[in-house]
Amino acid sequence: MPRTALITGVTGQDGAYLAQFLLERGYRVHATYRRSSAVNFWRLQALGIQDHPQLHLEPFDLTDMGSAIRLIERTEPDELYNLAAQSFVGISFDQPVATAQITGVGVLHLLEAVRSVNPRIRFYQASTSEMFGQVQAVPQTEDTPFHPRSPYGVAKLFAHWATVNYRESYDLFATSGILFNHESPLRGQEFVTRKITHGVARIRHGLQSRLELGNLDARRDWGYAPEYVEGMWRMLQAERPETYILATGRTESVRDFVTLAFRAAGIELVWEGKGEQEQGIDPATGQVRVAVNPAFYRPAEVDLLIGDPAKARRELDWTPRTDLEALCQLMVRADLERVAREAGRA
Ligand code: NDP
Ligand code: GDR
């Protein structure tokens, strides 16, 4: 009998990669999308799985408890991966209540549905390094105390503890994966890496002249998304439900990522000025290619994230394989091709 997986949030970056990964392993995959006036399956199309016979697309909204129960009754999953969320930290400051309802309480709807309908379902919660926020230790491990710095981080922390609590209270196989940032050519354009690689590609093709960014000093531990979805799957194949960190163990600043991305497109940048006056200049032409715009600053920032994936390595045999240079290059290459195609140049 093929195993059945249910993925929430298949229209997002991780949902698309995870659906592809599970389909390749022979799973029957039910995967949820939100009803909207124009549903967006571009990632499923890009991966060539939209019409896969074992992929069943299900309309679902995390804020509707009844639909969570019916979804689980109807699809009878062995494994449930909850990837759906309002996942953009910046917007969570403007929409804190919606973020709490979707990203926090929405998870409780699923946990309650699992507990009521079939407590043997293995449940994965997409937790995040944003829960560490103002970090209390370097590098961060599964034992590092949390101090979230955004409504998104607060909502995710609620969901994380709800997952742990259902594990401890009802003996559910409820696993929490604390994933550090992971990126890919399928990353949404509002997130900083993709904003940069897309902007670099447009600059390279002469479609825009400069890129405006916020805090260049923030440091992140960036990995490659397809490797992280494999880690999620490994967590649900483990003997016991646990909490695991997935990270690379390396941290770099936003400025470093910008420098790498321009270099990948053949442009060397030099940096001048400080804070809001800082600029990235192309010495070949003297043009300002990167400028700081305070509009992209956040009311509270997460300054430094660097994760220690030792537990996942030891217990799940999971290791990240793509380093930041390779990740940045593959994202820039994909955006150069995409922009050229859209501009009718390829
Ligand atoms: P995306 O933002 O790309 O995808 C989020 C998904 O959630 C989309 O399919 C979105 O649907 C769906 N969604 C949003 N609101 C609702 C709702 N009310 N009901 C049902 N579905 C909803 O996120 P990623 O793929 O990058 O991340 C996957 C998960 O992992 C998220 O929970 C994120 O918070 C978490 N995470 C991500 C990390 C990363 O670096 N990528 C790191 C750590 C955690 P729609 O397309 O309609 O908006
Ligand atoms: P993050 O990712 O907040 O870490 O959350 P994002 O790429 O949005 O920001 C990373 C860092 O870059 C700084 N930054 C900018 N960010 C954006 N988006 N746009 C800018 O112009 C800009 N300039 C500087 C930010 O201030 C921040 O410090 C992501 C999401 O995927 C979450 O869902 C996930 O939980 C975490 O990663 C781990």
Side-chain angles (χ1 to χ4, degrees):
M1 272 288 278
R3 292 181 71 72
T4 300
L6 173 59
I7 303 172
T8 65
V10 79
T11 53
Q13 169 188 261
D14 290 7
Y17 281 123
L18 181 63
Q20 180 187 45
F21 177 88
L22 295 174
L23 289 168
E24 282 170 359
R25 269 149 198 82
Y27 277 72
R28 176 183 174 85
V29 177
H30 294 274
T32 77
Y33 65 96
R34 276 193 296 183
R35 195 270 148 194
S36 66
S37 63
V39 171
N40 202 337
F41 292 134
W42 70 271
R43 292 182 172 96
L44 303 182
Q45 281 160 357
L47 296 177
I49 57 171
Q50 189 184 355
D51 299 319
H52 194 291
Q54 290 304 326
L55 180 65
H56 307 277
L57 296 168
E58 315 277 352
F60 171 66
D61 195 301
L62 262 179
T63 56
D64 190 309
M65 167 98 190
S67 79
I69 293 173
R70 287 189 296 279
L71 178 70
I72 291 174
E73 282 175 343
R74 193 173 65 251
T75 59
E76 299 184 342
D78 301 297
E79 299 170 13
L80 197 175
Y81 297 85
N82 179 38
L83 308 186
Q86 189 306 91
S87 79
F88 187 41
V89 174
I91 282 290
S92 79
F93 289 98
D94 299 321
Q95 300 177 4
V97 176
T99 302
Q101 283 165 342
I102 298 168
T103 305
V105 178
V107 182
L108 208 46
H109 294 160
L110 284 175
L111 285 166
E112 276 290 282
V114 168
R115 177 185 164 207
S116 312
V117 177
N118 176 7
R120 288 180 310 283
I121 293 168
R122 294 190 166 207
F123 179 84
Y124 174 86
Q125 167 58 15
S127 294
T128 164
S129 50
E130 285 293 302
M131 301 186 312
F132 295 120
Q134 189 158 298
V135 299
Q136 312 291 306
V138 174
Q140 293 92 52
T141 72
E142 288 80 2
D143 298 321
T144 300
F146 299 118
H147 183 144
R149 295 271 282 170
S150 64
Y152 167 79
V154 171
K156 280 284 184 182
L157 192 52
F158 172 86
H160 166 72
W161 280 121
T163 303
V164 172
N165 181 245
Y166 273 57
R167 183 198 299 163
E168 294 174 351
S169 305
Y170 310 116
D171 209 21
L172 294 190
F173 195 107
T175 283
S176 178
I178 304 180
L179 272 53
F180 284 60
N181 299 53
H182 44 277
E183 318 294 314
S184 74
L186 300 188
R187 186 62 143 151
Q189 280 182 22
E190 67 274 39
F191 301 99
V192 78
T193 55
R194 186 72 210 296
K195 179 174 173 182
I196 294 165
T197 61
H198 183 245
V200 162
R202 285 179 54 82
I203 289 171
R204 184 78 234 179
H205 286 294
L207 297 172
Q208 80 186 50
S209 65
R210 68 161 74 180
L211 189 56
E212 292 193 352
L213 296 168
N215 178 12
L216 300 175
D217 293 319
R219 299 180 74 85
R220 289 291 183 275
D221 178 331
W222 282 294
Y224 183 37
E227 296 167 7
Y228 285 55
V229 302
E230 178 174 347
M232 297 173 187
W233 174 76
R234 284 178 185 248
M235 287 183 213
L236 290 200
Q237 313 314 306
E239 262 177 41
R240 283 185 312 279
E242 284 272 354
T243 295
Y244 291 101
I245 279 181
L246 299 185
T248 70
R250 170 178 169 188
T251 188
E252 302 289 349
S253 68
V254 171
R255 185 185 300 98
D256 295 330
F257 191 92
V258 176
T259 304
L260 284 176
F262 274 91
R263 186 171 298 151
I267 302 170
E268 287 294 331
L269 283 187
V270 292
W271 295 96
E272 289 180 4
K274 277 244 169 296
E276 291 177 20
Q277 265 59 54
E278 187 164 359
Q279 293 183 327
I281 295 169
D282 177 354
T285 62
Q287 280 174 294
V288 174
R289 292 308 193 184
V290 181
V292 171
N293 182 344
F296 296 113
Y297 283 34
R298 292 170 183 176
E301 179 61 284
V302 174
D303 296 321
L304 166 68
L305 290 175
I306 176 168
D308 178 359
K311 181 178 174 185
R313 189 178 300 126
R314 203 172 52 243
E315 296 184 13
L316 306 175
D317 195 23
W318 180 87
T319 38
R321 297 182 295 275
T322 305
D323 70 19
L324 188 63
E325 286 75 10
L327 170 64
C328 186
Q329 276 165 20
L330 72 87
M331 288 178 70
V332 169
R333 203 175 310 127
D335 271 321
L336 282 169
E337 284 167 16
R338 194 159 13 198
V339 169
R341 229 176 11 251
E342 282 163 10
R345 296 183 192 177

